[in-house]
Amino acid sequence: MPSSKEGLLFRDASRRVALVTGASRGIGRAVAEGLAADGFDLALVYAGNAEASAEAVAACEAAGATARAYRCDVASADEVKATVGAVLDDFGAVWALVNNAGVTRDGLLVRMKDEDFERVVGVNLTGAFNMTRALTRAFMRQRGGRVVNMSSAVGLMGNAGQANYAASKAGLIGLTKSVARELAPRGVTVNAVAPGFVRTDMTAALPEQVVERYEGQIPLGRLADPSEVAAVVRFLVSNAAAYVTGEVVRVDGGMAM
């Protein structure tokens, strides 16, 4: 239940709050807008694109949600602690955490720089750890909640030139299963979603022949729309998924089967 502290944005006890990282665009924005449509209020965490985050807030508000954006480098435990504290001060409670923030710094292993490996693991894996740890006591006190970690089909099957990214996404699966076991006695479910190739700003900038090559690896023959990934997240944070935990759901058109 939300606190009665004066100044809270979150006042309607019938509405739950979701915290979504990497929420300014792509999959994260689709998740945020979908959850807003489902009746959630939103704490949207972004790394640096204030303009895009403001647009995401406006889209969530247009769907009837109370929404606020928070700038945070999820790889920093100190920034995460401060951000989660601000979210709890503003909203009083968080029901769902979606760890979607992610970066890529691709390159062949022999030429991969230390900082490129460390940054990708830091944001994609350590960031999810930082956020989940920061909210665990709140989840335990309220004896319920949802955590969804955005993994990847690459974390299941690997990909040349993405040793850092694949390692971070595979690590998220181990993190998901371990935390699911720890928090299940308190009614908190923890699951992962593993998208394949998705139509985002990044793939839109690729040459058409590269996109066609990707599509050739997918049994369904096309890239996913972000809303198709968001639909699975929306299910996993809903009451309908109360008995699903420790699961990895692929949304990859059959690529990794």
Side-chain angles (χ1 to χ4, degrees):
M1 295 293 292
S3 163
S4 60
K5 180 179 177 181
E6 185 178 356
L8 286 179
L9 295 175
F10 178 61
R11 297 181 183 276
D12 186 350
S14 69
R15 295 179 66 87
R16 288 172 167 172
V17 176
L19 190 162
V20 182
T21 70
S24 63
R25 56 187 177 178
I27 293 172
R29 177 162 173 176
V31 168
E33 291 184 22
L35 293 179
D38 291 340
F40 280 82
D41 289 327
L42 276 303
L44 307 181
V45 173
Y46 69 101
N49 193 330
E51 181 178 354
S53 69
E55 292 172 357
V57 166
C60 291
E61 291 177 338
T66 296
R68 175 167 286 189
Y70 302 83
R71 189 183 185 284
C72 177
D73 178 359
V74 297
S76 165
D78 289 340
E79 287 193 29
V80 166
K81 183 178 179 180
T83 298
V84 167
V87 170
L88 293 175
D89 283 346
D90 287 341
F91 288 94
V94 171
W95 176 257
L97 167 64
V98 182
N99 286 309
N100 171 75
V103 297
T104 58
R105 291 189 179 179
D106 297 348
L108 295 175
L109 182 66
V110 70
R111 291 196 292 270
M112 185 172 289
K113 297 177 181 178
D114 291 351
E115 55 266 32
D116 289 342
F117 187 90
E118 291 163 3
R119 182 58 179 167
V120 169
V121 172
V123 173
N124 300 4
L125 178 56
T126 306
F129 165 77
N130 287 338
M131 274 287 172
T132 306
R133 181 178 60 179
L135 277 167
T136 290
R137 285 188 173 86
F139 285 143
M140 293 175 70
R141 282 195 300 268
Q142 69 194 23
R143 301 194 67 83
R146 303 280 187 267
V147 179
V148 179
N149 294 320
M150 198 61 65
S151 182
S152 170
V154 169
L156 296 168
M157 57 189 288
N159 194 33
Q162 288 193 307
N164 49 4
Y165 186 78
S168 69
K169 295 300 186 176
L172 273 175
I173 293 172
L175 178 70
T176 296
K177 292 179 178 292
S178 297
V179 178
R181 290 185 179 275
E182 288 189 25
L183 298 186
R186 296 299 183 105
V188 182
T189 66
V190 186
N191 293 286
V193 175
F197 294 118
V198 182
R199 287 200 176 276
T200 62
D201 293 347
M202 182 175 65
T203 55
L206 294 173
E208 189 58 33
Q209 61 268 30
V210 174
V211 174
E212 290 175 357
R213 187 167 72 245
Y214 286 163
E215 290 174 338
Q217 301 174 39
I218 303 168
L220 284 180
R222 65 176 179 85
L223 275 61
D225 185 83
S227 65
E228 294 176 299
V229 181
V232 177
V233 177
R234 292 165 70 178
F235 166 70
L236 289 172
V237 304
S238 73
N239 291 337
Y243 202 62
V244 180
T245 196
E247 188 57 76
V248 181
V249 183
R250 291 186 297 108
V251 189
D252 64 355
M255 186 175 70
M257 67 179 172

